[in-house]
Amino acid sequence: MGFATLPTDILLLILRHLGVADIFALRRTSKALEDLTRSRSVWHDALHTHILARGLPLPGLRARSLDTLSAIELEELTFRALALRRNWTSSHPRSTRSAELVPPNIPPGARPRNLAVHYLPGREGRYLLTITLYDEPAAPRKYVVHCWDIGEEAGEPKVVAALRCTDLTGATVNTDPSHPGILAITRRGPSDDVTTSIFSIDFRARNVGAAFIPLQAFASFRFPLALEGSVFAASGPDNIVRVFDVEAGYVRAALRVPREYDDPTLRNEEHRCMGAVVLRGHVLTFCRQWIHLYALPSVPESPDNSTHPPPVAYNPIASHGWQWRIDSLVVTPRLLARGAAPTDEDAETRVRAGADEPEDTGHGGADEFPPIDVLIRFDTWFPWPVNILHHYVLTPNPAFTSSPPDAVAPDTPVSIPYLHPGGGPTMAHSIPSPIRLFTPSDMVLGRRGTALWLDAQAYESGPAQAGDHGQRIAGKVLASAGAELDRDKPSSTGEVDVAGQGGEEVGAGADSVSPGWYSEERVQTMVFHMQEEDDGWNKLAMDEDEGRIAVGTVSGQVHLFDYAPAAGL
């Protein structure tokens, strides 16, 4: 009996254990096997086994349901996902599509500069936000926020919404794509009063200037930190982080930091908050030299909607101190891998929407809390920070229980989801990244583990050091515990190994080092782009799900690069 004459159910079972390249090779052997390898069940299984179960993105899925896709559409989706992964993690990823965005309607003679660029989460990966600052002679600085439709269906990128303002102190994009509030704009008034406004966007509005729809405005604080669903966090000069309910527009909690000599007038720079993460009734604040964890019990609803309870002050329930002050950092919770192939529509919906967590079942456990990636550039006594990026991982407490706070003693390990005894930040990578005084640098982290940074190395070979001019956009897929990573990638020749073989702490407050994170894979550093003359790049944004990078410039333009194969290939 030949292989092609085996029963169909046996052949399908065998194909389920083959790689995609093996399926394509088998297709060329006979007409019968060609027909079999074009069946929908083969590509349904291949997609779930090689893509979804490994936590890889599905570029081009958009809002479609997997149940509605044909065999050829599933095959193309699988091919594009693997091709993106192969290109994205190569030493020099090649862009398959590029475009340049020029902010429209900037007055002649004004000097534009890009301040921020953000991909909007979810929404089929179609939209990009840019914030541009421009100066005019004898006039105050002005800011314009543009929302661009960059989807392939739109052809050339086009502006679908525009918002002009002055006295901008910060803007935050909502990480929850299902929430109507998309953007928080924080402005300072003439008497130093600060207001935060929450906006939605009408992506189909005929009038671009009216497409930003105000939903809520409330008195706020100067430094916005996070917007996650209906929770907004901001801090002021007193280093206290306020947590707002954006739908009601009031302060829900005030997160206090330890005071020196219990004196409220002493505001230590080491407690200045640089970022915050909100996760299931807890807030992690990342300061210049500290990480603080706070528990936020649910607030009972007021019988009178016109009144709100006064803000409750909370002290940290756990803290971690760094040995050195931080110059810059980015913090991102890791997208939880599901391990098993999804078998229901809800799992596929989470993949399409970019959601990271299932419904809270109330059973507790560390599975409810993801590992958190922290990418840090430490400060120095010199006018410039260190030439090394450090990747730390904050792992959840496996003994944590989500029982009500009143039912668990606050000083027990099971009541703390992070920073539990022995659970401080674990250093996983140390990456050379030279910078140069007065040359812009930036870094971003993706939910799937990609780190992307902009530095001043402008040469392909030699030591990792800054040249006289030039810039580089480089990246690395950060290893994570239990992740299935590609084993055939060569090791990086430029990476500094600091993990060693032990995890002993050196001195009080030292950060533990886990060789387990290194043992999974030594992924090479990816160099996406390099320019040897100009120093004009200044901001980065990344969309891992669609394989895209956006680069802002000091002259206002934004460069877009796609790395997934074009549809139909």
Side-chain angles (χ1 to χ4, degrees):
M1 177 180 294
F3 179 80
T5 61
L6 290 173
T8 301
D9 56 341
I10 300 298
L11 290 174
L12 291 176
L13 183 61
I14 294 174
L15 289 174
R16 188 174 297 178
H17 296 277
L18 297 182
V20 172
D22 297 325
I23 295 176
F24 282 127
L26 197 62
R27 174 179 293 179
R28 296 191 293 267
T29 59
S30 70
K31 183 63 170 64
L33 291 178
E34 178 186 3
D35 293 340
L36 181 64
T37 57
R38 295 188 185 277
S39 63
R40 189 182 185 281
S41 60
V42 169
W43 291 107
H44 176 274
D45 292 342
L47 179 67
H48 282 77
T49 300
H50 302 295
I51 308 300
L52 297 183
R54 296 176 60 194
L56 301 184
L58 281 172
L61 179 60
R62 306 290 188 261
R64 298 177 295 173
S65 168
L66 294 180
D67 289 341
T68 64
L69 300 185
S70 64
I72 191 170
E73 289 173 324
L74 291 174
E75 178 180 336
E76 179 184 338
L77 205 60
T78 304
F79 170 80
R80 292 191 71 193
L82 292 177
L84 170 61
R85 175 69 172 180
R86 185 165 53 251
N87 187 27
W88 189 263
T89 58
S90 64
S91 59
H92 292 80
R94 300 181 60 182
S95 62
T96 57
R97 178 190 179 211
S98 62
E100 181 177 299
L101 309 182
V102 179
N105 302 322
I106 300 295
R111 295 171 296 177
R113 180 185 180 94
N114 180 261
L115 288 186
V117 55
H118 300 281
Y119 286 98
L120 293 186
R123 299 175 180 87
E124 305 180 21
R126 287 186 58 172
Y127 300 104
L128 180 84
L129 278 180
T130 62
I131 302 178
T132 308
L133 158 72
Y134 61 94
D135 291 320
E136 294 182 274
R141 287 184 170 181
K142 297 181 176 64
Y143 304 83
V144 57
V145 183
H146 288 113
C147 180
W148 302 77
D149 186 347
I150 58 172
E152 295 178 0
E153 300 84 354
E156 290 297 319
K158 62 181 181 180
V159 174
V160 296
L163 175 68
R164 295 181 183 272
C165 60
T166 58
D167 301 312
L168 182 73
T169 66
T172 310
V173 172
N174 202 329
T175 59
D176 182 359
S178 64
H179 195 275
I182 296 175
L183 178 68
I185 294 288
T186 301
R187 299 174 56 196
R188 184 173 58 182
S191 58
D192 279 346
D193 55 317
V194 179
T195 302
T196 294
S197 301
I198 306 297
F199 291 90
S200 182
I201 301 176
D202 182 359
F203 298 104
R204 300 179 181 274
R206 293 180 178 273
N207 182 2
V208 171
F212 278 96
I213 303 171
L215 301 180
Q216 181 64 274
F218 46 86
S220 183
F221 294 85
R222 185 173 180 180
F223 308 112
L225 298 170
L227 177 60
E228 303 191 12
S230 61
V231 177
F232 174 73
S235 68
D238 57 2
N239 293 336
I240 297 176
V241 175
R242 275 81 174 183
V243 179
F244 294 79
D245 183 329
V246 301
E247 296 175 355
Y250 75 100
V251 179
R252 173 182 168 186
L255 310 181
R256 299 186 298 197
V257 295
R259 293 175 178 172
E260 188 173 359
Y261 307 117
D262 200 26
D263 186 347
T265 64
L266 296 178
R267 299 166 180 175
N268 288 342
E269 177 67 10
E270 66 186 48
H271 287 296
R272 178 171 63 86
C273 190
M274 306 174 71
V277 175
V278 182
L279 287 170
R280 299 184 182 275
H282 293 78
V283 178
L284 278 161
T285 62
F286 295 82
C287 307
R288 284 208 69 186
Q289 205 166 345
W290 290 89
I291 303 175
H292 298 301
L293 173 66
Y294 301 84
L296 295 181
S298 59
V299 178
E301 294 186 4
S302 172
D304 182 2
N305 292 331
S306 63
T307 62
H308 304 293
V312 180
Y314 295 95
N315 292 316
I317 60 175
S319 298
H320 171 81
W322 302 98
Q323 288 181 294
W324 305 278
R325 285 190 179 182
I326 295 171
D327 174 79
S328 54
L329 90 164
V330 285
V331 182
T332 303
R334 183 67 68 97
L335 189 67
L336 291 175
R338 295 297 154 199
T343 57
D344 59 285
E345 183 66 22
D346 291 338
E348 296 168 5
T349 302
R350 289 198 297 271
V351 172
R352 295 197 307 275
D356 56 332
E357 297 169 353
E359 294 287 331
D360 187 355
T361 60
H363 298 302
D367 289 343
E368 297 179 3
F369 290 85
I372 298 176
D373 290 316
V374 186
L375 192 62
I376 292 175
R377 190 184 292 276
F378 285 107
D379 205 353
T380 69
W381 295 108
F382 301 102
W384 55 85
V386 299
N387 288 328
I388 297 176
L389 294 176
H390 292 87
H391 169 221
Y392 287 83
V393 180
L394 203 58
T395 55
N397 181 7
F400 173 73
T401 175
S402 60
S403 300
D406 296 338
V408 180
D411 58 348
T412 58
V414 296
S415 67
I416 303 175
Y418 296 98
L419 301 179
H420 51 287
T426 301
M427 190 164 70
H429 300 88
S430 181
I431 308 167
S433 174
I435 59 175
R436 183 171 50 248
L437 197 62
F438 306 125
T439 297
S441 62
D442 196 18
M443 54 187 179
V444 292
L445 272 175
R447 299 295 306 276
R448 298 180 185 274
T450 301
L452 193 71
W453 63 89
L454 171 64
D455 60 27
Q457 182 169 342
Y459 305 98
E460 290 285 356
S461 59
Q465 61 185 19
D468 295 333
H469 42 70
Q471 291 175 291
R472 175 184 70 162
I473 300 172
K476 190 178 186 67
V477 177
L478 305 175
S480 62
E484 286 190 67
L485 299 172
D486 299 331
R487 302 292 179 176
D488 57 346
K489 300 296 182 185
S491 61
S492 170
T493 58
E495 180 177 327
V496 178
D497 289 345
V498 296
Q501 296 299 319
E504 289 188 290
E505 296 184 352
V506 182
D511 304 307
S512 60
V513 176
S514 170
W517 290 82
Y518 264 108
S519 62
E520 294 172 358
E521 181 188 25
R522 296 175 180 266
V523 184
Q524 60 193 352
T525 296
M526 303 100 69
V527 178
F528 287 86
H529 296 279
M530 184 176 291
Q531 55 182 8
E532 297 185 2
E533 299 297 332
D534 192 15
D535 295 340
W537 296 334
N538 69 338
K539 296 296 178 182
L540 294 175
M542 174 174 55
D543 179 1
E544 282 180 300
D545 289 339
E546 295 297 328
R548 292 171 173 164
I549 289 176
V551 186
T553 67
V554 296
S555 57
Q557 295 91 352
V558 176
H559 304 291
L560 303 182
F561 301 99
D562 288 10
Y563 297 90
L569 295 181

